Amino acid sequence: MNSSFPAEGGCDCRYVRYRVESAPLFVHCCHCRWCQRESGASFALNAMIESDRVTDLGAEPEVVHTPSESGQGQRIARCPKCRVAVWSNYAGAGPVVRFVRVGTLDNPDLLPPDVHIFTASKQPWVVIPPSVPAVPEYYEREKLWPPESLARRQELLPAIEAYQASLRRDA
């Protein structure tokens, strides 16, 4: 998979464009009802990647604060013209990690899901391949992430902790 990167993507009108410089940390296929509602589809397919590994190639997306089940919300980056969501930043890691919407890649086939999460609320007609891990809610990262991704996450922890500390100071 690493030979497939960098990979480009963007919105429908091509005003917002980006390049993913490396393989992501992990790819979630989330079947929670919030993702179903926000995407208007049966699930959301998000590639988790360090924000500094995503290069902006076009216009800046508009960041929209959107409620979430956690109560902390998420920030969804959308094209200001066609309104397509290209990535999200969730409250836990904030701007340090982007959850790139796989469907916005020029070749979304590059990133099949590594795990299906919140399958307890998946649509009953969605069939999950037996070869892909699936969990009723969430999973233990250390059990599913490859060692390289776990090491990359360790490198991110100081930035994530600094972001979380800034939220506490601002509160």
Side-chain angles (χ1 to χ4, degrees):
M1 183 166 58
N2 286 333
S3 65
S4 301
F5 293 92
E8 293 186 7
C11 64
D12 280 345
C13 74
R14 300 184 65 81
Y15 187 64
V16 172
R17 298 286 300 160
Y18 66 85
R19 181 175 50 243
V20 176
E21 302 294 347
S22 72
L25 294 162
F26 212 61
V27 180
H28 286 165
C29 185
C30 184
H31 297 268
C32 79
R33 297 296 179 173
W34 280 84
C35 282
Q36 290 178 37
R37 185 179 307 108
E38 288 167 3
S39 68
S42 300
F43 50 80
L45 189 59
N46 293 312
M48 297 174 60
I49 188 165
E50 301 92 325
S51 293
D52 64 2
R53 292 185 184 212
V54 181
T55 303
D56 293 328
L57 301 176
E60 283 290 313
E62 177 185 3
V63 177
V64 179
H65 183 74
T66 306
S68 67
E69 189 171 20
S70 71
Q72 297 178 330
Q74 65 174 302
R75 299 195 179 282
I76 300 177
R78 294 184 175 278
C79 173
K81 289 186 175 188
C82 69
R83 313 302 299 156
V84 166
V86 290
W87 63 74
S88 294
N89 296 99
Y90 290 92
V96 179
V97 176
R98 289 185 181 172
F99 287 71
V100 173
R101 306 287 172 97
V102 172
T104 66
L105 286 167
D106 294 344
N107 182 6
D109 299 354
L110 287 175
L111 296 176
D114 292 312
V115 67
H116 288 265
I117 59 176
F118 293 98
T119 59
S121 55
K122 77 172 184 60
Q123 294 296 315
W125 44 265
V126 171
V127 178
I128 297 172
S131 61
V132 181
V135 293
E137 291 185 12
Y138 207 70
Y139 61 94
E140 292 181 49
R141 186 179 302 111
E142 292 73 21
K143 289 186 178 181
L144 292 181
W145 282 31
E148 177 187 318
S149 293
L150 290 170
R152 285 168 52 189
R153 182 178 179 276
Q154 280 300 120
E155 292 175 18
L156 288 175
L157 286 179
I160 292 171
E161 290 166 2
Y163 165 73
Q164 291 172 346
S166 74
L167 293 178
R168 288 189 294 275
R169 281 191 306 272
D170 295 343

